[in-house]
Amino acid sequence: MIEAFLTALVTVFSGVHLLYLAGGVTLGLAIGIFPGLGGIAGLSLLLPFLYGMDPTSALAMLIGLVAVIPTSDTFTSVLMGIPGSSGSQATVLDGFPLAKKGEAARALGAAFAASLFGGLFGAAVLTAFVLIARPVILAFGSAELFMLTLLGLSMVGVLAGNSLVKGLSACGLGLLLGSVGGAPATGEFRMTFGNFYLMDGIPLVVVGLGIFALPEIIDLLRQNRAISEASELGSGWLDGVKDLVRHKWLAFRCAVIGCIVGALPGLGGSVVDWIAYGHAVQTSKDKENFGSGDIRGVLAPESSNNAKEGGGLIPTLLFGIPGSGSMAVFLGGMVLIGLEPGPSMVGNNLDITYTIVWSLALANVLGAGACLLLSKWVAKLTTIPYALMAPFMITVICFAAFQATRDLDDLISLVAIGVLGVLMKRFGWPRPAFLIGFVLASGMETYLYQALQFDGIGFLTKPGVLIIGVLIALSIFFAVRHIANSQQELGAKPEVDNTSVPQNRMPQILFAGAIWLAFAYGFYDAMQRTLLGGVFTAGVCGLMLVLTSVVIFKLVKGNINDTVNFDSEVAEGYAFDRSVASMLHYVYWLVGLVVACYLFGYVISTALFFMLFLLVKARTSIVKTGVLTASALVFMLALAHVMVLELPRGLLQDAVNMPWPLG
């Protein structure tokens, strides 16, 4: 073992290995900064270049890319409120408000320091556990994984804001949307309306960008200002590192969570940041700043999502079972270069395993250092008037959404979920709770079905299930206490000025009524399926019909000062400010872009959108508009070429048979 350890150390610090590792890190930085792509797309881009490469060098590039994406995807999450990937969605909640306050430097410093700590911790755990992890991993069956999804759902309480009933209903809506498509147990198609696109379900990338990114873009455009009001970005680069030292035990606990969740097949990066964020809120005495710029809300998810890469490599190397989508592609890369995952990785190939471990640690150091060097310049984006940035960000988001399944329906789903996100933000329905429900829906139903098939109802008596059940009970206890404390604090405050309380509750009632109808249709659809195909959605919808009925009742008959009654148009003063554009104004721009893509093709539509938006909204000169539009198109076409992505041609180009790249 010692010999393998030392051999790996020599290999990692060889010149060729370092060169390829730096190449992987560089590509990971580029992919991570680009919103919505993430590790799966990055690794998929890299695979074609691995043919014929030396296995050690190829591994260096793979590990360099895997390690740095969870670090570099923080840029857009903090600076623009756009999740860089599924693992950085929770970072948006507090990172983006910090950027708005002019503390982007502090938020990025804390995020990169936490990412470095989490990555090194994950590598250390992988080093120690690689020989003893096999029995631990095998102890987790479908029953235990189902309970872990319930543990994730129990975090909804602390992410529900001031209204628990709204938070639970939003989570139920996410579960319902996540159930669209084939039922895991029977393969029956649910709520697809005969649409082929919906039969595979809606991609997580589309939902994440729609529910978080588009509402923030629209909100900033309505305010017609830069992201940060401060002329300086703040001098908090070292302050962010000091924040990590101050909250070192929080970062340590979240890194442990990241390793555990990452090592469990099927959960992966889509949920680990939310579990860590929920843990940070639950274990904090002063919770009032979470969601409005608390540095702990940045440290927790960032330390966990980097640590999960080390954890995710454990089942991937030992069993050939990927813990997440990116690990699945990584597994394909290993096979491609002639490495067979399994027991041999801790036997004859132990030196290669430790080469992977040391490469992971070194790549985290290189990635965090590179991000710190770049962040001073990247962070200046927050001081640019948003009307100049918006068309580029919208184009990037649409491109990222389209590459999910390479279908124009991705763009329709993006805008539809974006409108839902705008309305949820306006009426105080927590979007994090919605996203947690969506992420966990498929796995939750699959694991429940498998647990019942293998063990029947007796799975509830298994030791692992009972232990996780205790953790769920504690999580619910802390969540209920958090809600009770929040309501007591609200009650202790002086009487709220009625100008900030919505008097006209009809818009809220109509929105809640629309959600009630969605659950009613979901229940009706479930009744048309077999027992196994419809029992999950029927149960969810039945419970949510009761909860949304409570919301509607409170809005119709309840006290006007009830926490259910919320409308940001009134609370933010937009309803009384004639200078602020209508909420639907920019939605029409997005709808117009999607319709134009169907008619004229993606590239032509993007060019027209860019020029019109810059001329009308940003009021730029014709020359500047032309230069910015051309630059955006060149960048987009180059990226599409690298990804072998054929952009939509549109009805017009199909009619006249125009060649790509105008399609």
Side-chain angles (χ1 to χ4, degrees), residues 186-486:
T186 63
E188 295 171 272
F189 293 117
R190 301 177 300 201
M191 297 171 285
T192 60
F193 306 98
N195 186 298
F196 288 109
Y197 173 78
L198 294 177
M199 289 178 182
D200 283 332
I202 303 174
L204 175 60
V205 168
V206 174
V207 174
L209 291 173
I211 208 71
F212 277 113
L214 290 185
E216 298 302 335
I217 287 175
I218 290 173
D219 191 47
L220 285 167
L221 283 171
R222 294 179 70 199
Q223 297 174 37
N224 194 26
R225 62 174 180 82
I227 293 173
S228 172
E229 295 284 4
S231 57
E232 297 293 329
L233 297 172
S235 56
W237 301 102
L238 288 178
D239 289 341
V241 179
K242 292 176 183 176
D243 287 323
L244 174 66
V245 176
R246 190 179 305 115
H247 301 292
K248 55 184 176 295
W249 294 116
L250 171 65
F252 175 79
R253 294 195 304 271
C254 291
V256 171
I257 290 172
C259 287
I260 294 172
V261 175
L264 299 174
L267 291 181
S270 301
V271 70
V272 65
D273 56 331
W274 292 113
I275 293 178
Y277 187 88
H279 170 76
V281 178
Q282 286 177 333
T283 56
S284 300
K285 293 180 180 179
D286 50 330
K287 303 175 173 67
E288 62 276 1
N289 291 327
F290 279 97
S292 57
D294 194 311
I295 198 65
R296 292 171 295 182
V298 174
L299 292 170
E302 288 301 315
S303 56
S304 66
N305 66 23
N306 274 64
K308 72 123 181 9
E309 299 300 339
L313 281 168
I314 294 174
T316 305
L317 295 175
L318 295 185
F319 309 114
I321 301 173
S324 63
S326 59
M327 284 295 110
V329 184
F330 179 82
L331 187 65
M334 288 184 65
V335 174
L336 192 67
I337 59 179
L339 290 176
E340 191 66 37
S344 64
M345 295 303 292
V346 290
N348 297 334
N349 292 329
L350 186 60
D351 58 328
I352 295 178
T353 299
Y354 279 121
T355 299
I356 293 173
V357 173
W358 285 106
S359 298
L360 182 66
L362 188 57
N364 272 285
V365 174
L366 292 175
C371 286
L372 280 170
L373 288 174
L374 290 171
S375 53
K376 185 175 182 180
W377 290 274
V378 177
K380 290 184 179 180
L381 293 172
T382 60
T383 60
I384 299 173
Y386 205 71
L388 283 174
M389 288 182 59
F392 181 75
M393 294 317 303
I394 290 171
T395 302
V396 164
I397 288 169
C398 288
F399 185 93
F402 176 73
Q403 64 83 35
T405 66
R406 307 193 175 199
D407 192 311
L408 261 175
D409 287 341
D410 284 324
L411 300 183
I412 295 178
S413 298
L414 176 72
V415 173
I417 294 170
V419 172
L420 175 64
V422 166
L423 294 174
M424 290 181 74
K425 182 180 181 181
R426 172 178 173 177
F427 298 128
W429 293 66
R431 292 172 291 161
F434 169 87
L435 197 58
I436 283 184
F438 180 84
V439 167
L440 293 177
S442 177
M444 184 180 181
E445 183 178 4
T446 301
Y447 296 139
L448 176 60
Y449 166 67
Q450 291 175 348
L452 289 171
Q453 286 288 97
F454 296 151
D455 302 302
I457 198 67
F459 82 84
L460 293 172
T461 62
K462 297 178 73 172
V465 170
L466 294 174
I467 293 171
I468 300 171
V470 172
L471 295 177
I472 292 171
L474 290 172
S475 177
I476 292 173
F477 168 76
F478 284 119
V480 171
R481 192 176 70 171
H482 168 64
I483 294 292
N485 291 340
S486 299

Side-chain angles (χ1 to χ4, degrees), residues 556-574:
V556 174
K557 297 289 186 181
N559 189 330
I560 195 170
N561 291 318
D562 193 300
T563 53
V564 169
N565 182 27
F566 177 82
D567 189 336
S568 65
E569 291 293 289
V570 177
E572 301 291 339
Y574 294 161

Side-chain angles (χ1 to χ4, degrees), residues 614-631:
L614 290 173
L615 289 171
V616 175
K617 292 297 177 183
R619 301 182 185 278
T620 56
S621 66
I622 294 177
V623 173
K624 189 174 184 180
T625 297
V627 171
L628 290 174
T629 302
S631 301

Side-chain angles (χ1 to χ4, degrees), residues 51 61 109 333 369 434 479 500 508 575:
Y51 284 106
M61 290 195 75
F434 169 87
S500 64
Q508 297 183 69

Side-chain angles (χ1 to χ4, degrees), residues 556-598:
V556 174
K557 297 289 186 181
N559 189 330
I560 195 170
N561 291 318
D562 193 300
T563 53
V564 169
N565 182 27
F566 177 82
D567 189 336
S568 65
E569 291 293 289
V570 177
E572 301 291 339
Y574 294 161
F576 316 108
D577 190 347
R578 298 290 183 185
S579 65
V580 176
S582 162
M583 181 175 287
L584 292 176
H585 177 81
Y586 290 104
V587 172
Y588 296 148
W589 278 87
L590 294 174
V591 172
L593 174 59
V594 173
V595 171
C597 286
Y598 267 93

